[in-house]
Amino acid sequence: MSPVSIMRADANSRAGPNKSAARTVAVRASLALIEVASAFEALAQAMPVSAPVLVGCVLTLFVAYLVFGVSGFGASLITIPVLSQVMPLPLLLSLAVVTDLAAATIVAAFGQNRGEPGPRTRPAIDHAELWRLGLPAVAGATVGVTLLVGMPRDASMFALGAFLLGYGAWSWRSRIPTAPLGARWSLPFGFAGGLLGALFGIGGPPYVIYLSRRIFDPRRLRATIAVVVLASLAIRFVVFLSAGLLMQPGLPAMLAVLLPVCVVSVLIGNRMFEHLSRERLHRVIASLLAVSGALLIVRTLLDVGP
């Protein structure tokens, strides 16, 4: 056999295993792509909303949880009025309680410490204010459940929206408070938060108004607001779970798409918060209260319209 033939035979023998390995990789990649495509097809079939509505949900939740990451509250004040026009309310509320719970957990976790890491680093959460709000909030929730049947819902929602709009506009234009609000104000604000939470599921604004006038450190304020929201959401999550609302068809598919959007948006908002001064956070909270009031008014008018 000539030297050239020997070299060709040797090259073919070496190329054989390489070609076989390449074919194996190509087959595995093709199978993986087929599995991914099948998973997306199954997800699309399980989705309870159309593609345009889903895109709207993604954009709305991204903005809402960006706001949540900055302020520690306010996502549902955006998502509920906007998405209730295109989604069934039971599905939307179930979706919101899961995404809100995830967002509040992230913000509360990031707000634990402020200074350099170490065993003596104090927690950012103001536990004393949580205790002050707790008992009147329970009392307000008890009264709210009692009034739930006979309360004129539309008129109450409109009045609440007008109050939040007016207070937010006034707070935005007013000077940054230098003296803390008296601790006794925890009684009416805690009671109002529990009452409104039981009646309308939006008890957060009274807590935020009180805490923003009591806590002047931005990180401490945001972390404390997030824990108040987290406690409220945990209770609501248990209620929804026991009522079977979290077992609705289509909810897992919605969460598979929207929960990652929520997490990413909150993390971006958390990074944005690091660059906020106390004055800017004050403006953000005032703007959120005013916008939420306006959205409540619009929602009430749409509900009572022809």
Side-chain angles (χ1 to χ4, degrees):
M1 182 180 293
S2 66
V4 175
S5 301
I6 294 174
M7 292 176 63
R8 287 178 178 175
D10 182 62
N12 290 333
S13 64
R14 291 180 181 179
N18 292 334
K19 289 182 178 179
S20 177
R23 289 173 182 172
T24 303
V25 171
V27 170
R28 289 179 178 177
S30 300
L31 291 175
L33 289 175
I34 292 173
E35 291 179 359
V36 171
S38 300
F40 273 107
E41 184 179 359
L43 185 64
Q45 292 177 353
M47 200 66 65
V49 297
S50 63
V53 171
L54 183 61
V55 172
C57 291
V58 169
L59 296 177
T60 302
L61 262 70
F62 184 83
V63 173
Y65 288 103
L66 192 68
V67 169
F68 195 106
V70 172
S71 64
F73 82 107
S76 290
L77 296 174
I78 298 173
T79 57
I80 301 300
V82 173
L83 297 182
S84 61
Q85 308 302 319
V86 295
M87 286 179 62
L89 192 58
L91 178 63
L92 176 58
L93 292 176
S94 301
L95 175 71
V97 75
V98 177
T99 52
D100 281 358
L101 192 61
T105 303
I106 293 172
V107 173
F110 273 91
Q112 283 293 322
N113 297 308
R114 178 171 179 79
E116 295 296 326
R120 295 187 179 181
T121 303
R122 296 186 59 188
I125 298 167
D126 195 324
H127 294 89
E129 296 297 347
L130 296 179
W131 283 109
R132 289 191 185 100
L133 289 171
L135 291 178
V138 172
T142 304
V143 175
V145 171
T146 305
L147 297 176
L148 189 58
V149 176
M151 193 77 172
R153 185 177 180 85
D154 291 335
S156 302
M157 289 280 281
F158 187 89
L160 175 61
F163 169 75
L164 292 178
L165 177 60
Y167 178 84
W170 172 81
S171 182
W172 199 90
R173 293 176 60 87
S174 65
R175 294 181 179 180
I176 306 298
T178 56
L181 193 68
R184 293 181 179 179
W185 283 97
S186 63
L187 296 176
F189 280 104
F191 184 87
L195 180 69
L196 295 174
L199 286 173
F200 310 119
I202 48 172
Y207 303 136
V208 173
I209 293 173
Y210 169 78
L211 291 173
S212 64
R213 296 285 173 169
R214 287 283 298 173
I215 305 172
F216 294 157
D217 178 76
R219 183 181 294 274
R220 198 172 182 84
L221 172 60
R222 189 186 67 144
T224 306
I225 290 174
V227 171
V228 171
V229 173
L230 182 61
S232 173
L233 287 169
I235 296 173
R236 198 182 307 172
F237 180 86
V238 172
V239 172
F240 275 45
L241 185 62
S242 61
L245 291 174
L246 298 181
M247 307 299 177
Q248 298 181 67
L251 181 60
M254 293 288 288
L255 288 174
V257 175
L258 298 178
L259 192 57
V261 175
C262 161
V263 172
V264 171
S265 185
V266 168
L267 292 176
I268 295 174
N270 185 74
R271 292 297 298 271
M272 294 172 61
F273 166 77
E274 299 295 335
H275 303 285
L276 281 182
S277 64
R278 182 191 164 203
E279 290 77 12
R280 288 184 178 180
L281 183 62
H282 175 82
R283 303 291 187 194
V284 168
I285 291 176
S287 301
L288 277 176
L289 292 172
V291 170
S292 63
L295 289 175
L296 285 175
I297 293 174
V298 171
R299 181 183 176 187
T300 303
L301 295 177
L302 290 175
D303 288 342
V304 300

